[in-house]
Structures are given as structure tokens and as C-alpha cells.
């Protein structure tokens, strides 16, 4: 057995006992709305991702069955939880206290997934062609900054995506994912952001958690988890370190006004990437996103609004 997997599975009950143990019963804290590029058009919450994934898998299953193939639905990857992380490294105090950087909870989800039986292999060249499509139906799409993506339009995977999200979803989503990444990179280089992050770094040093950047603080915890898992060591000290570092991180972000600094820098960055044609495309992507979410949240028999 892989030693890293052994450590994670054995310590699962302990890890699960830490995740989500913040607020006292009967007390709730309103979630903090943290800025995301382009109003979060390429982002889905964990609940939304789960609902969309299940609906997509059902469509793939139906498509494969219609082509004469069995298909075993694939569970949503535990790594999806990490998509909830703010792309700028911003943290609410609530998340910091209860879930840290989501490293602990992602480990716990991976450990649970490792205990499930793996799907049996039913693949064959014909099965793969039905699922993923064929090169003769390959569509290549040019994206900003010399990126490109491709898909095989005759595969059940792509056809399920087009049914759930709309025919133009993949092109628009990938386009704005590239642009969202550009916005994040621009914000990270913004003079006001760099100045505020220096003030945050000084605050972290005073709090006993010296870190030069947001990425450095989280990366230190991630590296500590990997070392402990590989050595089959007790992970609880690292869990406590994660929560302590994240709590100091969020407090220092509040002290230095990082949310508003990022929000202002993001506005400046978006103004450089969203010309009129992009604004029109962004509106279409928002519409497709909203339509897809309505499809998976409208109760059976109800009329979508």
C-alpha cells in the first residue's frame, strides 16, 4: 500500500473531527463575499459543482446507453473543494477558523474516496470513441494569449456538456478562464496590492507566522502535510498549524484592508481585458451559466423560470 495513502486513511477520523468545528451551535456567521475575477463567472460553489457534475454524468450515461455501452458514473473529485479557494488567496475569518486553507478537509475527502471501490474497467477502443469522440470530429478553438483548446464533437462527454450548458459554453468558459487568470496576475502585480501585501506580511510576522506572500503562507502548510504523510507521522500538529496560520492570515488581511484593495485592483485589471466584444461574450457566458444552474436546481415537474 502507498505509505501516503496509508497515513491519510488511518487518520481520517481524526481529520474529520477537525473539519468544520468552528461556530457554536445556534450561532451563524454571515459569509464574507470575497472578490473573484469577472464576478465569479467561471466559479461554482461546492454544492453547484456537485449538482452540475451529477447532471452531466447522468447525461453521459444516457448517451452511452443509447450507443450500446455501459457507463459507470464517476464521483466528483475531492480536489473540487480546492476550487473554492479564493484565486487571490483571500480568506474570511470564518473559513480560517473552521477550515483553514481547506488542506485538511481535502485530505479527508481524498481519504474517504480512497476507501470506495474503484470502478471496474470497461473500456475498449469502441467504448473510448463513444465516450471521448474521434479525431475526425476534432474541433480546435483559439483562445486569448495564444492558448487553444480542442474537443471531439461526437463524444458523449462533449455532447453532455453541450446539452447541460449550451453549445457555445466550452469556448466561452475557456476563454474567460484565461482572461480571469490574466486578471489575477495583473492584480498580483498592482502597486497598491503589492504595498498592502507588504503590510500584511509585517502583520503576519508580528503574529508569529512570518510570510512574504499569501502563496508562501499556504504553501508552507501544504508542504508540511506532504512531509508528515510521507513519513507516516502524526498529522494533528500540522492540522493545528494550518488553523493557526490561516486564522492569523485572515486577521492580518482584515487589518490591512486586503479585500477592498483587491476589489479596486481587480476593477482596474478588468478594465484592461474587457473591450466591447468581450463584454458581449461575458454576458452570454453569464446567461449560459444561469441557465445551467436552473436546470439542476428546478424541482421535477416545475417550470424553469
Amino acid at each position: 500500500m502507498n505509505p501516503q495513502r496509508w497515513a491519510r486513511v488511518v487518520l481520517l477520523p481524526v481529520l474529520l473531527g477537525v473539519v468544520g468545528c468552528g461556530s457554536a451551535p445556534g450561532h451563524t456567521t454571515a459569509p464574507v463575499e470575497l472578490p473573484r475575477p469577472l464576478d465569479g463567472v467561471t466559479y461554482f460553489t461546492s454544492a453547484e459543482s456537485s449538482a452540475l457534475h451529477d447532471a452531466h454524468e447522468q447525461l453521459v450515461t444516457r448517451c452511452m446507453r443509447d450507443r450500446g455501452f455501459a457507463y459507470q458514473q464517476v464521483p466528483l473529485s475531492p480536489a473540487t473543494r480546492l476550487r473554492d479557494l479564493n484565486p487571490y488567496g483571500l480568506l474570511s475569518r470564518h473559513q480560517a477558523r473552521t477550515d483553514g486553507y481547506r488542506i485538511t478537509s481535502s485530505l479527508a475527502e481524498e481519504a474517504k474516496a480512497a476507501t470506495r471501490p474503484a470502478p471496474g474497467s470497461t473500456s475498449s477502443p469502441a467504448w473510448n470513441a463513444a465516450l471521448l469522440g474521434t479525431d475526425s470530429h476534432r474541433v480546435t478553438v483559439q483562445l486569448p494569449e495564444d492558448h487553444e483548446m480542442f474537443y471531439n464533437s461526437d463524444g458523449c462527454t462533449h455532447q453532455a456538456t453541450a446539452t447541460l450548458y449550451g453549445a457555445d459554453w466550452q469556448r466561452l468558459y475557456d476563454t474567460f478562464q484565461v482572461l480571469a487568470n490574466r486578471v489575477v496576475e495583473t492584480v498580483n502585480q498592482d502597486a497598491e496590492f503589492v504595498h498592502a501585501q507588504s503590510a500584511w506580511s509585517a502583520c503576519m510576522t508580528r503574529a508569529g507566522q512570518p510570510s512574504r506572500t499569501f502563496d508562501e503562507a499556504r504553501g508552507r502548510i501544504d508542504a508540511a502535510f506532504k512531509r508528515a504523510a510521507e513519513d507516516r507521522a502524526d498529522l494533528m500538529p500540522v492540522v493545528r498549524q494550518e488553523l493557526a496560520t490561516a486564522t492569523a492570515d485572515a486577521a492580518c488581511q482584515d487589518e490591512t484592508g486586503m479585500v477592498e484593495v483587491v476589489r479596486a485592483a481587480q476593477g482596474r485589471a478588468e478594465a484592461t481585458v474587457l473591450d466591447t466584444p468581450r463584454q458581449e461574450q461575458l454576458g452570454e457566458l453569464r446567461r449560459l451559466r444561469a441557465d445551467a444552474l436552473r436546470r439542476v436546481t428546478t424541482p421535477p415537474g416545475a417550470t424553469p423560470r
Side-chain angles (χ1 to χ4, degrees):
M1 176 180 284
N2 181 294
Q4 184 169 342
R5 174 167 292 183
W6 175 87
R8 291 179 177 181
V9 173
V10 168
L11 289 168
L12 172 62
V14 177
L15 294 175
L16 288 177
V18 173
V19 177
C21 59
S23 300
H27 176 75
T28 58
T29 304
V32 176
E33 191 68 30
L34 301 176
R36 289 180 179 273
L38 311 172
D39 292 328
V41 71
T42 61
Y43 165 72
F44 294 99
T45 66
S46 292
E48 291 168 344
S49 293
S50 180
L52 290 164
H53 173 83
D54 290 347
H56 186 268
E57 286 293 293
Q58 291 168 13
L59 289 168
V60 172
T61 301
R62 188 182 310 158
C63 175
M64 292 292 282
R65 184 180 62 236
D66 291 346
R67 297 181 182 192
F69 296 99
Y71 177 79
Q72 185 170 349
Q73 296 183 18
V74 178
L76 185 64
S77 168
T80 302
R81 280 187 59 81
L82 294 178
R83 296 177 196 164
D84 278 349
L85 294 172
N86 184 272
Y88 301 109
L90 298 175
L91 278 173
S92 70
R93 290 200 186 221
H94 176 74
Q95 179 191 319
R97 285 195 315 270
T98 60
D99 208 0
Y101 296 109
R102 295 209 163 123
I103 299 172
T104 298
S105 51
S106 296
L107 271 173
E109 289 297 322
E110 286 182 24
K112 282 197 295 184
T115 64
R116 302 186 192 112
S121 176
T122 58
S123 61
S124 66
W127 188 92
N128 285 327
L131 180 66
L132 303 176
T134 57
D135 290 348
S136 61
H137 290 79
R138 176 160 295 184
V139 177
T140 300
V141 179
Q142 298 301 318
L143 301 174
E145 301 184 356
D146 295 325
H147 293 282
E148 67 177 27
M149 54 85 68
F150 68 86
Y151 58 85
N152 296 334
S153 62
D154 58 334
C156 282
T157 297
H158 172 72
Q159 292 189 2
T161 298
T163 298
L164 179 58
Y165 296 95
D168 211 22
W169 167 265
Q170 198 68 63
R171 178 181 68 86
L172 289 172
Y173 178 88
D174 288 341
T175 293
F176 282 94
Q177 189 62 65
V178 171
L179 295 178
N181 291 340
R182 185 198 296 176
V183 169
V184 172
E185 291 168 2
T186 303
V187 167
N188 285 333
Q189 297 167 3
D190 183 273
E192 290 187 21
F193 175 86
V194 172
H195 178 74
Q197 187 168 242
S198 294
W200 167 89
S201 176
C203 175
M204 289 288 281
T205 298
R206 292 193 300 272
Q209 302 288 346
S211 306
R212 290 168 298 177
T213 66
F214 297 158
D215 286 344
E216 182 179 306
R218 186 186 186 283
R220 188 167 61 248
I221 302 301
D222 197 34
F225 264 114
K226 289 175 180 175
R227 286 195 302 270
E230 288 168 359
D231 295 340
R232 300 189 181 186
D234 181 7
L235 295 184
M236 283 309 298
V238 191
V239 172
R240 288 190 288 269
Q241 182 186 356
E242 176 186 8
L243 295 177
T245 303
T247 299
D249 188 342
C252 287
Q253 288 185 26
D254 281 355
E255 181 179 309
T256 53
M258 286 303 308
V259 169
E260 292 311 313
V261 169
V262 168
R263 202 183 305 279
Q266 178 178 271
R268 292 189 290 273
E270 289 178 348
T272 68
V273 302
L274 292 178
D275 55 17
T276 299
R278 292 293 189 214
Q279 288 279 8
E280 293 171 356
Q281 291 179 331
L282 181 59
E284 176 63 8
L285 181 60
R286 286 190 179 119
R287 184 188 69 78
L288 293 176
R289 181 184 187 279
D291 287 349
L293 288 173
R294 273 195 292 271
R295 291 186 186 103
V296 299
T297 57
T298 302
T303 302
R305 291 178 295 171

